[in-house]
């Protein structure tokens, strides 16, 4: 079941811009084969990228939203622990994109309670 989104918002533009910045960047060499608290960083990158592509092309469905919750929680855990000078901004960008995605699907009343 697809969730219906409102007309384009400033966050739509920000998400698209961040995605365009992110696309040409290689995965940071210093983070290959790295796990933080059991989270494989290559897989996390792959999962978030897939969610962003899905959102920009068709929107997220219920399974995507479950994956987004998982990825968002993992990003909140791992980003503060990344010390690699190339890796930190790379994963901060992923976290920002995940936050933008999540904000699009959280009703305003739910967001106010958090």
């Amino acid at each position: 079941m697809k969730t219906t989104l409102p007309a384009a918002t400033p966050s739509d533009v920000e998400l698209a811009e961040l995605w365009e910045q992110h696309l040409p960047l290689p995965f940071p060499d210093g983070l290959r084969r790295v796990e933080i608290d059991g989270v494989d960083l290559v897989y996390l990158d792959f999962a978030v990228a897939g969610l962003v592509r899905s959102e920009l092309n068709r929107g997220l469905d219920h399974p995507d939203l479950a994956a987004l919750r998982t990825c968002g929680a993992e990003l909140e855990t791992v980003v503060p622990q990344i010390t690699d000078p190339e890796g930190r901004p790379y994963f901060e960008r992923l976290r920002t994109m995940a936050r933008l995605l999540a904000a699009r699907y959280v009703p305003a009343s739910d967001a106010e309670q958090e």
Side-chain angles (χ1 to χ4, degrees), residues 49-83:
L51 291 166
V52 172
R53 277 193 304 269
S54 291
E55 176 64 15
L56 294 174
N57 291 322
R58 62 171 171 76
L60 301 181
D61 56 22
H62 286 289
D64 292 331
L65 295 176
L68 177 59
R69 280 190 292 280
T70 299
C71 290
E74 289 174 344
L75 285 162
E76 295 301 331
T77 298
V78 303
V79 170
Q81 298 180 60
I82 296 173
T83 58

Side-chain angles (χ1 to χ4, degrees), residues 14 18 21-22 25 28 31 41 44-45 48 75-76 78-100:
E14 185 178 4
L18 284 170
Q21 292 170 15
H22 190 78
L25 300 175
L31 296 179
L41 298 185
L44 182 56
D45 173 52
V48 175
L75 285 162
E76 295 301 331
V78 303
V79 170
Q81 298 180 60
I82 296 173
T83 58
D84 181 86
E86 292 176 8
R88 179 73 180 244
Y90 185 93
F91 275 87
E92 286 175 343
R93 186 178 314 97
L94 283 176
R95 180 174 63 181
T96 300
M97 288 189 288
R99 286 174 175 173
L100 287 169

